[in-house]
Amino acid sequence: MMTANDDHGNEANVLFQFYGAISGWNAVVSTHFVNLYWEPYGEYAEGELDYQIYVDGEIFQTITSNTQLITELEPSTTYSLMVIAYYEGTMIAFGDYEATTIDQLGGNEVVESDQKIFSTDMLATLSRINGSMPLHSHICYKS
């Protein structure tokens, strides 16, 4: 804690808090959803942390895993996503990510993300293996 004075003799106490950074962001992005992934924060056991997910500044959900499916999104729209990690009710880390939903894909179009290129054929294969990834999506990597 630090005490600050202004020119009029008023004092204010200021508390500085330092937080860790959530990193290792990945997202599967489609026309109407973003499936967001990040590296688990720190050395905590699975389920020890609560992660609050925010979409455009509004709380979306609180979870204990490091992945979140965000649905009912609009195509061709950029969303500001933030994840805050809590340990026993105390904020310990945060991170933010920006994702833009795609317009519409079809056939064998190639989709280019920030760092990787994938074809929709490969995504169809992933969909059959995973059973949950739609054909019309692409994968973004951001570290």
Side-chain angles (χ1 to χ4, degrees):
M1 177 138 3
M2 180 175 141
T3 302
N5 293 312
D6 65 12
D7 291 337
H8 304 287
N10 298 315
E11 290 186 356
N13 291 326
V14 180
L15 177 63
F16 291 94
Q17 190 83 20
F18 295 98
Y19 300 103
I22 294 175
S23 61
W25 295 97
N26 296 298
V28 175
V29 179
S30 185
T31 53
H32 295 286
F33 76 83
V34 172
N35 200 357
L36 188 62
Y37 305 84
W38 58 92
E39 290 178 9
Y41 180 74
E43 301 290 323
Y44 297 92
E46 186 174 335
E48 268 191 308
L49 297 181
D50 291 322
Y51 294 100
Q52 279 188 344
I53 315 302
Y54 290 81
V55 178
D56 289 339
E58 299 288 326
I59 190 160
F60 180 77
Q61 191 160 358
T62 301
I63 59 174
T64 57
S65 67
N66 62 315
T67 181
Q68 177 64 53
L69 178 64
I70 302 165
T71 59
E72 299 181 23
L73 302 177
E74 295 297 320
S76 300
T77 305
T78 300
Y79 292 91
S80 174
L81 308 171
M82 183 170 56
V83 176
I84 301 176
Y86 290 88
Y87 178 69
E88 296 180 349
T90 300
M91 180 179 164
I92 59 170
F94 72 96
D96 56 1
Y97 186 85
E98 191 172 84
T100 302
T101 51
I102 57 176
D103 197 356
Q104 182 119 5
L105 294 179
N108 279 329
E109 297 176 41
V110 173
V111 178
E112 185 173 352
S113 67
D114 292 340
Q115 299 173 5
K116 307 271 183 198
I117 297 177
F118 299 92
S119 74
T120 52
D121 275 349
M122 185 201 75
L123 292 169
T125 302
L126 287 173
S127 180
R128 285 190 296 274
I129 294 169
N130 186 343
S132 64
M133 185 186 301
L135 173 60
H136 298 301
S137 60
H138 73 277
I139 300 174
C140 296
Y141 290 90
K142 180 181 176 185
S143 296

